[in-house]
Amino acid sequence: SSELTQDPAVSVALGQTVRITCQGDNLRSDYASWYQQKPGQAPVLVIYGKNIRPSGIPDRFSGSSSGNTGSLTITGAQAEDEADYYCNSRDSSTNAFVFGTGTKVTVL
Amino acid sequence: QVQLVQSGAEVKKPGASVKVSCKASGYTFISYYMHWVRQAPGEGLEWMGIINPSADSTTYAQRFQGRVTVTRDTSTSTVYMELSSLRSEDTAIYYCARNCYDSSGYYCIDYWGQGTLVTVSS
């Protein structure tokens, strides 16, 4: 079955830039979507497709893709960006979806 | 506005089944696929399956094949997820979540239910 691998944790100084990566074979043919989850809350979509931000998501969030790796970048991280982040993509051969293993972002 | 309202918390014994409901409102129910995702305590998100409410077709994650069934009732705009042969490892929050698919062919999940805690304990 398809898998998406993320670094377990990253930290970033307030106002600095952090990039979260997601690796998997699915991403050679499909873009990742990205979700932010804060404790006790449902996930929130922050990026999908070729760097598309839903309404209400700050423009400090951006996405990119290269080969089998998708990336979410937070430029000028804020305290409220401290959360868990998950990537997701679809396996085009099975139409099943999969979430990445998740990355905990700490803003110092 | 789009709303996904799930049924309340459940406590089940090992070996039993649980059926969680998700009532959708604020959009055309049959126009959007619906996912089911779970999250065990302190763990990550795990994708379980998806239903096309229009065609009544489903796709499940391989690890849940044979144990999960997702159905829908178009008359009430409600999707159901039933998980059988429960074990302690199935203790988790279960979410329904609406699939989005834009004109460029990009997939995403744009709305989530509030989650339903299922506890499996003897």
Side-chain angles (χ1 to χ4, degrees):
Chain A
S1 61
S2 57
E3 294 181 347
L4 296 176
T5 303
Q6 301 178 236
D7 290 331
V10 296
S11 60
V12 57
L14 185 68
Q16 296 303 302
T17 297
V18 62
R19 188 176 74 162
I20 306 161
T21 61
C22 171
Q23 284 190 300
D25 288 342
N26 288 357
L27 301 183
R28 295 188 184 280
S29 57
D30 196 13
Y31 287 96
S33 54
W34 290 91
Y35 303 85
Q36 176 193 71
Q37 188 181 34
K38 296 182 179 179
Q41 298 182 18
V44 172
L45 175 68
V46 294
I47 288 285
Y48 71 99
K50 198 173 184 180
N51 193 23
I52 300 171
R53 277 178 293 106
S55 173
I57 301 301
D59 60 5
R60 62 179 179 271
F61 290 90
S62 63
S64 61
S65 182
S66 178
N68 73 335
T69 301
S71 299
L72 173 70
T73 300
I74 309 174
T75 303
Q78 301 301 301
E80 61 263 33
D81 300 333
E82 187 163 289
D84 295 325
Y85 290 83
Y86 296 91
C87 58
N88 177 270
S89 77
R90 185 181 71 104
D91 183 332
S92 57
S93 64
T94 64
N95 289 325
F97 287 73
V98 62
F99 281 96
T101 49
T103 299
K104 181 175 183 59
V105 172
T106 300
V107 179
L108 304 173
Chain B
Q1 72 284 19
V2 174
Q3 282 194 302
L4 303 176
V5 179
Q6 298 183 221
S7 49
E10 303 261 14
V11 179
K12 296 292 183 181
K13 293 195 181 301
S17 297
V18 68
K19 191 170 186 177
V20 180
S21 68
C22 170
K23 183 172 176 59
S25 62
Y27 69 96
T28 303
F29 176 69
I30 60 172
S31 295
Y32 293 82
Y33 291 38
M34 192 78 78
H35 299 265
W36 284 92
V37 177
R38 78 176 187 179
Q39 187 169 36
E43 301 295 323
L45 301 175
E46 183 172 30
W47 187 82
M48 299 180 69
I50 190 170
I51 186 166
N52 174 350
S54 178
D56 196 19
S57 59
T58 53
T59 301
Y60 301 125
Q62 193 171 7
R63 66 166 292 182
F64 294 107
Q65 289 274 5
R67 214 160 63 93
V68 68
T69 305
V70 177
T71 57
R72 91 311 188 224
D73 182 342
T74 55
S75 69
T76 60
S77 300
T78 302
V79 175
Y80 300 90
M81 186 285 300
E82 183 169 23
L83 187 63
S84 62
S85 303
L86 290 169
R87 35 209 186 231
S88 59
E89 309 89 89
D90 294 317
T91 294
I93 296 174
Y94 289 76
Y95 293 100
C96 61
R98 193 182 81 162
N99 186 70
C100 46
Y101 179 73
D102 76 2
S103 56
S104 300
Y106 302 137
Y107 289 91
C108 57
I109 301 172
D110 58 358
Y111 289 93
W112 296 69
Q114 83 275 21
T116 296
L117 176 61
V118 175
T119 303
V120 182
S121 174
S122 54

